[in-house]
Amino acid sequence: MLADLLKTFLASTYAYTVKSQYFHWNVEGPDFGELHKFFQEIYEDAYGAVDPTAEYIRTEEDYTPGSFERFQELSIITGQTKVPRARLMIEELLSDTQTMKDLSKQLFDAATSVGREDVANFAAERQSQHGKYVWQLKSYLKEERA
Amino acid sequence: MAVKKLSERRTSMSNHDFRSILEKLTLLESDLTPTNPTGSMNKQQKSAKQLPALFKPKTQKILGGDPNEKNPMSGYAVGGCEESQEMEEDSVEDNNFGLTPVRGPDSVESKTELIPVRGQAVSLEETSKVKEEASEDVLTKVKNSFTDYLKSLEDDIKQDKDLIAKKKQDLDLKKKELKDLALQTKKKQELDEDYVQFEVGDRICVTGPNEYQGEFGDIVDLGRNSDFVIVDIDGEIVSMHASDVEFHDDQEDVEDWEEELDEDPTQENPGNQASAELHDPTYAECSSPVKTFDVGAENLLEIHGDESNGFEIRHGDRSLPTRFSKLDDAEMALNMFKSKRDAKRAQELNADYIEEK
C-alpha cells in the first residue's frame, strides 16, 4: 500500500535528519568548518521533506505516525550512539543517503502505479536531492590527487 | 497430753521430711475421725460406738501410772468393760430427772453423747478444746517444718549463685586479659612508624615491585591481620601485601582538574596566575613553587611547601587538600597523572568511535 510506504519514508526521513544533525554537532578535526556546514545543509533539506510526506499519508485517508517509538519501528535508517571520527561520519552518512535515494525510487514507482502523480513528483525530487548528496559525500572520501 | 506423747514417739523422724509432715496431718485427721461412721454399717453396728480408723491404744503404766486412768478401750464396741458400762449408766441416771430408768438386759442406752478420746470418756467441751490445742500444735509443727525446708532450699540456691558469680568473675578476668593484649598490640602498632592501617574504600597507589606498580586502585577487602589487601585496579581484583601499596587520595582530585583543563580551552596560563599571586598582596599564602609540571596544553601544576609542613600540589590558586610528606611522593603523583592523561588522549586519537556519554 502507498500509505504504508509513505509511513516508512516519513520515519526514515526523520531518522536521517536526526543523524545528520548529530554529526553536525559532534564532528571534529581539521575539516570541522566545512563538514559542520555541510551536515547542516543535509539535515535542513531532509527536515523540509517531513511535513509534505505526513500530509500525503493523510490524503491516503490514513493516520500519520508521530512518536519516536513508532518511527523506530518503521524506519530503515538506524541511529548512532557513539561519536565516530570525521571520516567515518562521512562514510556512514553516505550509506544512509544512498538508502534514502533507493527508498525514494521505490516510493516513486508505488505512487506511479496507483496514479498518484503528486506523490510521484515528490518522490522524484527527493531521489534527485539524495543523489546530489551521495556525489558530494563520495568526493570528500576520495584521496587528493598527487 | 496425748499430742505431746505422740510427738515424743516420732522423735526419730526428720523435720525436713515431707512425709513426716503428711503423717502429722494424717494423725491430726485421725483424731477427728467421726466416732459413728454410718457409711456401710448395719443396724447393730450403728448402735455401737466404733473405734477411730487409726486408733492406737496407749499402754497403761502399772507402776507410776494414773490410778484414775480409764481403760483405753472403754466405751468402744470391742467387747466392752465394766467401767464403760458404769459410765454410761451414770450418764443416763443424770438425765432422767430422778427417775430410774428401766432397762432391759444387755441394753445400752445413752442419751448423752460422749466422744471417747483415746479411750477416755470426757465431755464434749473438753474434747473440742483438746482437739483445738492438738491441731494448733500440729499446725505449728508443720509450719516449722515448711520453714526449715524452705530455708534449706534457699541455702542450696545461694550456693549455686555463688558458683555462678565466681564463674562470671573468671570470664571477666579472661576478657580483661584479651583486652589488655589488644591494647598492647595497638600501642605497638602506633609506635611503629612504618605501619599504616588501611581500611576498605581507601584510595591507594601500588608502589611495590609487581606488574601493577604505578597503578591506582581502591581497597575492597582486607586480609588476615590486615597484612594483605584486596585492591580493585580498573575493574581487576588483585591481592597484594600491604607494604606494596600506599595511600594516595590525590588521584581523583587530579582527575577533576583534568576535566577542568579539557572543558575550558581558553583558560589562562596558570603559570601567569601563579606569578600574579606573588606580586598581589591580596593573595594569602604566597610562596614560590618547589617544582612545576607541564601536563599539556600549557597547563601547569606546581608543587609548594617544605618537609616540615609537607608538600601540596597547586593549579592556579587552587590546591589539593592532600599533603605529601616527601617531595618524591608529590612528583610521583604528578608523573602518574601526566602519563595516564597522555595515554587517555592517545587512546582517543586512535579510536574510530568514542563514547558519546
Side-chain angles (χ1 to χ4, degrees), chain A residues 22 80-85 88, chain B residues 349-356:
Chain A
Y22 176 63
Q80 175 59 261
T81 57
K82 295 191 179 182
V83 183
R85 57 172 72 237
L88 293 175
Chain B
L349 286 172
N350 293 330
D352 289 339
Y353 292 89
I354 56 175
E355 291 292 332
E356 169 263 320

Side-chain angles (χ1 to χ4, degrees), chain B residues 118-350:
Chain B
R118 304 281 182 247
Q120 295 177 0
V122 296
S123 68
L124 182 62
E125 289 178 1
E126 290 177 359
T127 306
S128 63
K129 194 178 176 184
V130 165
K131 275 186 196 172
E132 280 177 15
E133 289 175 0
S135 61
E136 283 177 8
D137 288 339
V138 172
L139 282 172
T140 307
K141 284 285 180 183
V142 169
K143 202 186 276 186
N144 292 336
S145 300
F146 268 120
T147 308
D148 293 338
Y149 180 72
L150 290 173
K151 197 176 177 185
S152 72
L153 286 177
E154 194 180 330
D155 290 336
D156 290 339
I157 291 168
K158 192 180 175 186
Q159 194 178 8
D160 291 340
K161 280 186 181 175
D162 291 339
L163 285 172
I164 291 169
K166 190 175 181 305
K167 186 75 177 173
K168 192 181 173 187
Q169 193 181 4
D170 291 342
L171 284 171
D172 289 340
L173 280 171
K174 200 174 179 183
K175 283 182 187 175
K176 188 173 179 298
E177 284 175 9
L178 288 171
K179 193 178 173 185
D180 291 339
L181 187 65
L183 282 171
Q184 284 176 14
T185 308
K186 193 177 176 184
K187 201 173 180 181
K188 189 183 172 188
Q189 289 172 352
E190 286 172 356
L191 290 171
D192 189 356
E193 292 179 355
D194 295 332
Y195 181 81
V196 178
Q197 182 65 41
F198 291 108
E199 292 179 356
V200 174
D202 286 343
R203 186 81 176 157
I204 53 92
C205 172
V206 181
T207 56
N210 55 44
E211 59 180 309
Y212 301 100
Q213 187 178 14
E215 296 285 342
F216 288 87
D218 299 307
I219 293 177
V220 295
D221 199 359
L222 298 171
R224 191 178 55 186
N225 298 330
S226 301
D227 289 338
F228 286 87
V229 290
I230 312 297
V231 184
D232 180 4
I233 300 175
D234 294 333
E236 189 177 349
I237 306 299
V238 182
S239 171
M240 55 186 72
H241 198 270
S243 61
D244 289 338
V245 300
E246 286 183 0
F247 278 116
H248 265 286
D249 292 332
D250 61 297
Q251 176 60 15
E252 289 182 0
D253 296 327
V254 174
E255 284 178 348
D256 290 340
W257 282 5
E258 185 183 47
E259 290 176 4
E260 285 189 15
L261 295 174
D262 288 338
E263 289 171 2
D264 189 8
T266 60
Q267 190 177 10
E268 288 180 5
N269 189 345
N272 295 334
Q273 199 170 1
S275 62
E277 289 175 21
L278 292 172
H279 300 291
D280 191 342
T282 60
Y283 278 95
E285 297 181 3
C286 294
S287 62
S288 57
V290 176
K291 222 168 186 179
T292 304
F293 276 80
D294 183 5
V295 292
E298 298 183 355
N299 291 313
L300 296 177
L301 296 175
E302 298 171 346
I303 299 176
H304 292 255
D306 51 31
E307 288 189 2
S308 58
N309 296 325
F311 296 93
E312 64 173 6
I313 296 174
R314 291 185 190 174
H315 174 234
D317 59 345
R318 292 180 62 221
S319 62
L320 281 176
T322 307
R323 280 190 172 263
F324 300 91
S325 58
K326 300 173 187 175
L327 180 62
D328 292 339
D329 293 342
E331 287 181 6
M332 185 170 65
L334 284 176
N335 283 328
M336 287 179 180
F337 165 69
K338 188 172 181 297
S339 62
K340 200 167 183 181
R341 190 179 170 185
D342 292 342
K344 189 180 175 185
R345 282 191 169 173
Q347 190 182 11
E348 287 177 358
L349 286 172
N350 293 330

